[in-house]
C-alpha cells in the first residue's frame, strides 16, 4: 500500500508539469529568505509539500548532471529575471544620470532584500554548477536559461553606458570595457553592503547612498549633484523673472518648470526646459575644472545675485564679491582671477560698470570680463573689452564655463 501510494504521488507530480517546477522554485526562494535553512533538494521538496523524488522529476538526477546543481541554476535564473524586471523599470528616463542612479538603487535594494538569493546568483555555487557540463546533461537547458538571463542583465547595463555616451557623460568608444567596469563597480559595492564592510568601517550606507557612490564612480557625478545644481539655477531664473516670462510667452522648449520640483528629489534633467538641461549637463561634466576655481564678482547689490552665488558654490567655485570698482581694484592689487563678472548700473549711475571697465582691465589685464545685468539690449552686443553680456543665469553659467574650463 505504501509503495502504491508513493507511485501514485509520483504520477501526479509528473502530470503537474510546469506547476510542479514553479512550486519547487517558489519553495527554494522561500528557503533562501531564511538566513539559516539549507538549500537542498530534500528541504525544497518539504517546503513545497511534495515527495522527496519530486525535485528529480524536474531537475534530473545528480549522476546525469542534474539534481541540486540544476536547481541552483534554475533558482538563480528566476532571481536574475526578477532583478532585471526591477532595474528595467528604472530605465524609462532619457537622462542617463538619473536613469543610472535609479538603476543602481534598484539593484542594491534587491541585493539587500534578497541576500542569499543575490549571493547564489553571482556566487561560486553557480560557477561550480556550470562546470563540468556534459553534453545533453540534465542541467544543459538550465545553464542556457541562466546564461540568457545574465546576458540580458549585462545588456541593461550596456544600454545605460551607451545612453551616458550619447549625452556625453562618458567618452565615446570601448562600450564593452566601460560596461564591464560599471558592472564590476555595481557588484563590488553590492558585496560591500551584504558583507557589512561599510557598516563595520563606521559608514552607514543605504541603497540610495550606495547608488550615488556607484554613479560617482562610473559617471563622475551623482543625482544629488544634479539636484543641488538644478535648484539654485532654477531659483535664479525665477528670481530674475525669466522662467515666468518664458512660460507666459510659450517660449520654453520642454516641459515648464513647476515649483513643486523644488521641494523634493530632482525629477531628472529632462524635466527642465532645454536651455537648463544643456547647461546642467555641461556644468556637471565640468566639475573637475570648476572645483576650487576663483572669480571676482562686482555688484553693489549682493543679494540680487544670491542664487547665482549659491549655484557656483555648489559647483566648487569660490566667489569674491566687491560692491564697487574701487573695492575691486584694491582686491586685484593682491590677487588674480581668471574671470571677473560685473554689473553695469549701480545706484544712480547707470553706466558705473562700463566706466569702471578701464581701471579693471588695467588692474587685471589677463582676466576675462563678463557683464551680468538686469536689462539687456541684445542688439548692442558685449561692451568693448568684455567677452560677453547676459541677463540669463543659464547663459551666465555657459560664459563662466567657457573661461574656467580653459584654466
Amino acid at each position: 500500500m505504501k509503495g502504491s501510494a508513493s507511485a501514485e504521488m509520483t504520477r501526479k507530480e509528473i502530470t503537474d508539469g510546469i506547476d510542479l517546477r514553479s512550486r519547487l522554485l517558489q519553495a527554494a526562494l522561500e528557503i533562501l529568505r531564511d538566513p539559516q535553512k539549507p538549500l537542498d533538494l530534500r528541504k525544497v521538496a518539504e517546503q513545497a509539500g511534495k515527495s522527496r523524488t519530486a525535485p528529480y522529476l524536474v531537475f534530473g538526477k545528480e549522476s546525469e548532471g542534474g539534481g541540486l546543481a540544476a536547481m541552483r541554476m534554475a533558482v538563480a535564473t528566476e532571481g536574475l529575471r526578477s532583478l532585471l524586471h526591477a532595474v528595467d523599470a528604472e530605465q524609462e528616463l532619457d537622462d542617463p544620470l538619473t536613469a543610472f542612479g535609479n538603476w543602481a538603487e534598484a539593484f542594491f535594494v534587491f541585493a539587500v532584500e534578497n541576500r542569499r538569493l543575490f549571493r547564489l546568483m553571482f556566487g561560486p555555487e553557480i560557477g561550480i554548477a556550470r562546470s563540468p557540463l556534459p553534453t545533453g546533461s540534465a542541467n544543459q537547458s538550465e545553464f542556457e536559461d541562466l546564461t540568457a538571463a545574465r546576458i540580458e542583465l549585462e545588456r541593461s547595463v550596456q544600454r545605460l553606458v551607451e545612453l551616458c555616451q550619447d549625452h556625453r557623460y562618458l567618452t565615446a568608444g570601448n562600450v564593452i570595457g566601460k560596461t564591464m567596469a560599471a558592472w564590476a563597480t555595481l557588484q563590488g559595492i553590492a558585496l560591500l553592503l551584504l558583507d557589512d564592510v561599510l557598516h563595520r568601517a563606521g559608514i552607514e550606507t543605504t541603497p540610495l547612498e550606495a547608488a550615488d557612490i556607484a554613479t560617482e564612480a562610473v559617471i563622475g557625478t551623482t543625482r544629488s549633484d544634479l539636484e543641488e545644481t538644478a535648484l539654485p539655477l532654477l531659483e535664479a531664473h525665477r528670481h530674475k523673472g525669466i522662467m515666468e516670462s518664458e512660460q507666459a510667452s510659450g517660449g520654453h522648449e520642454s516641459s515648464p518648470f513647476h515649483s513643486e520640483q523644488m521641494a523634493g528629489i530632482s525629477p531628472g534633467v529632462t524635466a527642465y526646459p532645454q536651455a537648463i538641461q544643456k547647461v546642467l549637463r555641461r556644468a556637471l561634466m565640468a566639475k573637475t575644472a570648476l572645483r576650487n576655481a576663483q572669480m571676482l564678482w562686482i555688484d553693489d547689490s549682493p543679494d540680487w545675485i544670491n542664487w547665482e552665488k549659491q549655484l557656483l558654490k555648489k559647483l566648487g567655485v569660490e566667489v569674491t564679491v566687491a560692491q564697487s570698482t574701487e573695492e575691486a581694484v584694491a582686491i586685484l592689487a593682491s590677487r588674480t582671477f581668471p574671470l571677473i563678472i560685473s554689473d553695469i548700473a549701480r545706484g544712480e549711475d547707470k553706466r558705473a560698470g562700463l566706466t569702471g571697465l578701464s581701471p579693471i582691465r588695467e588692474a587685471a589685464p589677463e582676466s576675462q570680463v563678463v557683464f551680468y545685468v538686469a536689462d539687456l539690449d541684445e542688439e548692442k552686443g558685449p561692451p568693448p573689452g568684455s567677452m560677453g553680456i547676459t541677463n540669463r543665469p543659464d547663459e551666465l553659467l555657459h560664459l563662466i564655463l567657457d573661461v574656467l574650463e580653459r584654466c
Side-chain angles (χ1 to χ4, degrees):
M1 286 290 291
K2 181 181 267 188
S4 176
S6 177
E8 181 63 29
M9 179 176 288
T10 300
R11 282 194 293 273
K12 183 178 185 304
E13 287 167 343
I14 291 174
T15 59
D16 278 348
I18 295 174
D19 182 61
L20 175 59
R21 175 187 173 85
S22 176
R23 291 182 67 175
L24 292 172
L25 289 176
Q26 184 59 41
L29 292 171
E30 289 171 1
I31 287 173
L32 289 174
R33 294 188 187 100
D34 187 323
Q36 303 297 329
K37 201 169 185 178
L39 181 65
D40 58 42
L41 296 178
R42 178 179 176 180
K43 293 293 185 183
V44 169
E46 290 177 358
Q47 186 76 28
K50 297 295 181 179
S51 71
R52 294 182 184 182
T53 59
Y56 296 101
L57 298 174
V58 174
F59 302 111
K61 299 177 181 180
E62 299 278 0
S63 59
E64 297 174 354
L68 181 59
M71 187 187 71
R72 282 174 173 165
M73 284 194 286
V75 172
T77 300
E78 287 298 304
L80 286 166
R81 289 168 177 165
S82 295
L83 174 56
L84 185 62
H85 177 75
V87 296
D88 269 354
E90 305 299 340
Q91 290 202 60
E92 300 301 322
L93 296 168
D94 291 331
D95 176 59
L97 182 61
T98 306
F100 188 94
N102 289 354
W103 196 104
E105 185 179 357
F107 183 78
F108 295 137
V109 166
F110 183 94
V112 170
E113 293 181 351
N114 303 274
R115 291 173 178 264
R116 291 185 66 194
L117 174 59
F118 189 87
R119 290 186 187 279
L120 176 66
M121 289 157 53
F122 300 107
E125 288 178 315
I126 295 302
I128 294 171
R130 288 166 53 182
S131 180
L133 192 65
T135 303
S137 64
N139 63 13
Q140 179 72 41
S141 62
E142 302 295 352
F143 170 68
E144 292 173 354
D145 289 346
L146 176 67
T147 300
R150 279 181 164 169
I151 290 173
E152 190 56 37
L153 188 61
E154 289 169 6
R155 282 177 178 165
S156 181
V157 179
Q158 182 175 329
R159 286 192 291 270
L160 285 172
V161 169
E162 291 170 345
L163 187 61
C164 288
Q165 290 180 324
D166 290 343
H167 288 80
R168 298 184 181 180
Y169 280 100
L170 291 175
T171 56
N174 194 17
V175 175
I176 300 302
K178 287 181 171 64
T179 299
M180 291 300 99
W183 190 220
T185 299
L186 290 161
Q187 289 196 57
I189 293 175
L191 291 177
L192 290 176
L193 285 174
L194 297 187
D195 291 337
D196 289 329
V197 173
L198 299 175
H199 176 72
R200 290 198 302 272
I203 304 172
E204 298 297 335
T205 304
T206 65
L208 174 61
E209 293 164 332
D212 277 347
I213 293 172
T215 310
E216 177 77 37
V218 175
I219 301 180
T221 190
T222 70
R223 291 172 298 172
S224 297
D225 292 331
L226 166 62
E227 182 180 357
E228 290 176 0
T229 305
L231 298 188
L233 179 59
L234 290 165
E235 280 291 10
H237 272 72
R238 280 158 52 91
H239 187 235
K240 303 300 183 290
I242 292 173
M243 198 70 73
E244 288 82 353
S245 64
E246 288 189 346
Q247 290 181 29
S249 64
H252 57 270
E253 300 170 335
S254 183
S255 56
F257 166 72
H258 297 290
S259 59
E260 58 265 24
Q261 291 177 352
M262 306 297 293
I265 296 175
S266 169
V269 169
T270 52
Y272 305 130
Q274 288 185 8
I276 299 293
Q277 294 178 34
K278 185 176 181 180
V279 76
L280 277 176
R281 289 195 176 101
R282 185 182 177 192
L284 290 172
M285 291 304 297
K287 283 200 313 179
T288 302
L290 297 179
R291 192 173 294 122
N292 299 321
Q294 298 186 20
M295 53 179 282
L296 177 64
W297 199 316
I298 311 170
D299 198 300
D300 66 331
S301 302
D303 289 344
W304 189 78
I305 56 172
N306 182 55
W307 288 109
E308 289 83 348
K309 288 188 295 181
Q310 287 191 37
L311 167 64
L312 292 169
K313 183 178 180 180
K314 295 292 185 184
L315 292 170
V317 179
E318 179 185 333
V319 178
T320 299
V321 177
Q323 296 189 43
S324 66
T325 299
E326 294 73 21
E327 184 181 356
V329 170
I331 293 172
L332 290 169
S334 58
R335 296 178 63 184
T336 59
F337 299 89
L339 175 63
I340 299 170
I341 298 177
S342 176
D343 58 357
I344 291 182
R346 296 176 198 153
E348 298 298 321
D349 188 349
K350 304 303 181 184
R351 293 177 51 83
L354 297 177
T355 56
L357 181 57
S358 179
I360 292 296
R361 300 296 302 144
E362 186 175 337
E366 302 299 321
S367 300
Q368 296 289 345
V369 178
V370 169
F371 284 101
Y372 187 51
V373 298
D375 298 310
L376 177 65
D377 186 345
E378 296 183 1
E379 293 184 359
K380 290 184 177 181
S386 70
M387 70 165 287
I389 183 170
T390 184
N391 65 337
R392 293 179 58 98
D394 57 313
E395 291 179 356
L396 176 67
L397 185 52
H398 274 301
L399 289 167
I400 292 171
L401 290 166
D402 288 343
V403 176
L404 298 184
E405 282 183 319
R406 294 198 298 263
C407 294

